[in-house]
Amino acid sequence: MAKTETSGFQERSDPAVGGRTQALVAAVYVCFLLAVIGSSFFQPAHDWDMIGFAAVITSWQTPHPAEIQRRVYEQIRRATPPATYRELTSGPFRHDVATNPLHLAEQLPFYSIKPLYLDLVWLGRRLVLGLQRSMRLVSVLSVLALGILCFQGM
């Protein structure tokens, strides 16, 4: 083995040790990535953004604010546990948007700025995944793609 002197420290350059270390780092990285993806898909954090994105996609089918509101909140009610639904519709702002169709419609521009995300969710919904499951799948696939890109840089 060749030894190299660097700043007063002795380093060993052993390719076998470096290869094992890289394999261990890669294994830990893949396990972490899979844990994050699994957690995101099977135990999603339901936040108010899903209402905004669902409203934009629903607005592609009907321009009527009252119908958008009815469809979106019915989908959210079916897709989330009762406690989560109450959380998503309680508080001054959330309650107002849940009960006033025009105020929900006013939120649409804020959630229209991610056209690729919306198109992919719409496509997933059309493939009979349902809106919430499609949102989760697109998010999980995005994390997976980013994880793969980061892994390539290692």
Side-chain angles (χ1 to χ4, degrees):
M1 281 185 244
K3 291 188 176 186
T4 322
E5 180 117 6
T6 310
S7 309
F9 293 101
Q10 298 256 335
E11 278 187 17
R12 229 176 25 174
S13 62
D14 185 352
V17 171
R20 286 191 300 265
T21 302
Q22 276 187 321
L24 179 62
V25 168
V28 168
Y29 182 80
V30 168
C31 288
F32 177 75
L33 185 61
L34 291 175
V36 168
I37 288 170
S39 174
S40 297
F41 189 78
F42 294 110
Q43 296 178 340
H46 299 287
D47 63 6
W48 200 89
D49 284 351
M50 72 179 191
I51 294 171
F53 290 124
V56 170
I57 293 169
T58 303
S59 74
W60 296 347
Q61 298 167 332
T62 180
H64 306 292
E67 184 62 17
I68 293 169
Q69 181 191 41
R70 186 192 67 72
R71 289 183 189 183
V72 166
Y73 281 95
E74 182 57 34
Q75 291 170 7
I76 300 299
R77 186 184 337 268
R78 285 194 318 258
T80 60
T84 302
Y85 182 79
R86 278 191 303 276
E87 182 181 325
L88 291 171
T89 57
S90 63
F93 172 77
R94 292 175 177 196
H95 178 72
D96 181 55
V97 173
T99 57
N100 188 326
L102 294 177
H103 291 174
L104 177 62
E106 289 173 348
Q107 302 303 310
L108 297 182
F110 300 116
Y111 293 92
S112 299
I113 62 170
K114 295 183 176 182
L116 182 59
Y117 175 78
L118 292 166
D119 288 341
L120 291 173
V121 170
W122 177 85
L123 180 63
R125 180 183 183 191
R126 299 287 297 170
L127 296 173
V128 193
L129 289 175
L131 191 58
Q132 275 63 43
R133 188 173 291 148
S134 181
M135 285 182 191
R136 288 193 321 235
L137 183 62
V138 170
S139 296
V140 162
L141 292 177
S142 299
V143 169
L144 178 63
L146 184 59
I148 290 171
L149 285 174
C150 290
F151 185 73
Q152 294 297 322
M154 292 175 90

